[in-house]
Amino acid sequence: MQGSLQDFGVAEIIQLLGTQNKTGVLMVVLRDMIYQIHFQSGRVTYALSDQQNLHETILSWLLKAEVITKGIYDEALTASSRTLVTVSNILAEQFGISEDLIKNISTIITSETVFRLLREKRGEYAFETDEDILFAPFMEPLETEMLLMDGVRMVDEWPSIRKVINNYSMTFSRKIPFAKNLSLEQEQALTVRQKKLRKDEMIMAVYDQIRDGLMVEDLIYRSMIGEFETCKSLKTLIEEGIIEGISPEIIRKREFDIFYSERS
């Protein structure tokens, strides 16, 4: 099974493979990048580009989220190359990183790789039946129907999100008290919509991580909910007047003004 994405889109291919309970590897070639999606009985077990190693990608995620130190990062890589045990297993067994956390990151990376491919209209694909497939660490195989439903929703919502979160170098500042433990006076000052948002776990996961100087990419790693949900939450927080988005241009202007005010 092979062909062009112009004739048969990624969503249609995944749906077909899921319906037919296929086991094997779907290769998607986009310009100079090759992606693999692995299937077991019609469910997705792994998805990533050929230029990445999933275990090392998870390790980098944990480092950027400041869950582990650079020392642990280096030790885990060294131990893995010496023993041939995967980095993910070493993190869980030797450094106390919970399997649930690794599973969550595995699921996000796998899902968002598929979501990214759903937006592509040009490229080539090929599927080969193969029992020797890869599995994302600690992740349960993903049902294609649910994966596609979420993917279609994300593809539809991305354009409106990008209008607000238009640069990953944006930083953010808090405009109003919105943390979980507010005084009665602070809580009464919130709108009905803002009170409802405080019960949204994803919104709060992003809000709790907002610090001066942290950019969109930093918040994606720290919030542990993925690129799409992080950006969507940031858009909502901005639109509801809870935080302010600060563009790189504004930051540079402020730095310029400070520099010259100190010299004058």
Side-chain angles (χ1 to χ4, degrees):
M1 177 182 175
Q2 62 183 22
S4 169
L5 296 182
Q6 290 177 285
D7 300 325
F8 207 33
V10 173
E12 295 170 295
I13 299 166
I14 292 174
Q15 185 176 38
L16 180 62
L17 296 174
T19 302
Q20 296 182 350
N21 295 319
K22 293 290 189 180
T23 296
V25 181
L26 173 65
M27 308 282 288
V28 180
V29 182
L30 306 174
R31 298 171 292 279
D32 59 346
M33 187 78 74
I34 301 175
Y35 289 86
Q36 293 187 17
I37 305 177
H38 291 233
F39 292 81
Q40 181 188 56
S41 301
R43 297 186 297 170
V44 173
T45 65
Y46 173 98
L48 204 62
S49 81
D50 275 3
Q51 297 181 12
Q52 295 173 286
N53 175 292
L54 182 55
H55 294 282
E56 292 181 10
T57 301
I58 292 169
L59 188 65
S60 295
W61 185 308
L62 292 169
L63 178 63
K64 291 174 181 176
E66 298 187 355
V67 174
I68 62 172
T69 63
K70 183 63 166 62
I72 292 177
Y73 176 96
D74 292 336
E75 284 185 55
L77 280 179
T78 301
S80 178
S81 62
R82 185 177 65 248
T83 63
L84 300 183
V85 177
T86 67
V87 166
S88 297
N89 284 96
I90 289 171
L91 287 171
E93 294 168 7
Q94 296 186 26
F95 296 103
I97 305 300
S98 76
E99 292 185 5
D100 284 343
L101 178 56
I102 298 173
K103 172 185 175 181
N104 181 51
I105 297 173
S106 290
T107 303
I108 291 171
I109 292 170
T110 300
S111 300
E112 293 200 334
T113 298
V114 173
F115 300 152
R116 194 170 297 117
L117 292 175
L118 293 179
R119 302 199 294 266
E120 298 292 340
K121 304 299 181 185
R122 295 181 179 274
E124 305 294 323
Y125 71 88
F127 177 79
E128 292 187 6
T129 301
D130 191 345
E131 296 296 327
D132 186 20
I133 58 174
L134 298 176
F135 292 83
F138 307 120
M139 185 189 85
E140 294 293 327
L142 305 176
E143 297 289 344
T144 53
E145 184 177 356
M146 292 301 299
L147 195 59
L148 289 176
M149 286 177 59
D150 286 341
V152 169
R153 175 179 62 87
M154 292 183 182
V155 170
D156 288 343
E157 293 183 28
W158 259 124
S160 64
I161 293 172
R162 287 297 193 197
K163 289 179 181 178
V164 180
I165 310 301
N166 52 28
N167 190 315
Y168 276 26
S169 295
M170 288 177 68
T171 59
F172 306 88
S173 62
R174 298 175 177 182
K175 294 178 68 176
I176 63 171
F178 193 69
K180 293 176 182 177
N181 299 317
L182 296 181
S183 67
L184 179 60
E185 183 180 358
Q186 289 172 330
E187 188 161 352
Q188 288 176 339
L190 298 177
T191 66
V192 173
R193 169 71 170 156
Q194 289 170 347
K195 289 176 182 178
K196 184 178 180 180
L197 288 175
R198 289 182 69 238
K199 298 177 182 179
D200 187 310
E201 291 183 2
M202 291 191 179
I203 290 286
M204 296 310 297
V206 174
Y207 178 83
D208 288 345
Q209 294 299 328
I210 290 175
R211 306 283 189 280
D212 287 344
L214 290 185
M215 297 182 289
V216 176
E217 185 177 11
D218 301 316
L219 296 172
I220 289 170
Y221 289 116
R222 289 167 177 256
S223 64
M224 298 287 180
I225 59 175
E227 179 186 15
F228 174 81
E229 295 296 349
T230 300
C231 292
K232 181 180 178 180
S233 296
L234 287 169
K235 172 180 178 286
T236 300
L237 288 165
I238 290 171
E239 292 177 340
E240 296 300 325
I242 298 164
I243 66 172
E244 176 187 14
I246 307 169
S247 70
E249 292 76 18
I250 292 176
I251 294 173
R252 284 194 291 269
K253 184 178 183 305
R254 288 177 180 176
E255 291 174 346
F256 181 86
D257 291 344
I258 291 171
F259 175 77
Y260 276 97
S261 67
E262 289 176 348
R263 291 172 64 91
S264 60

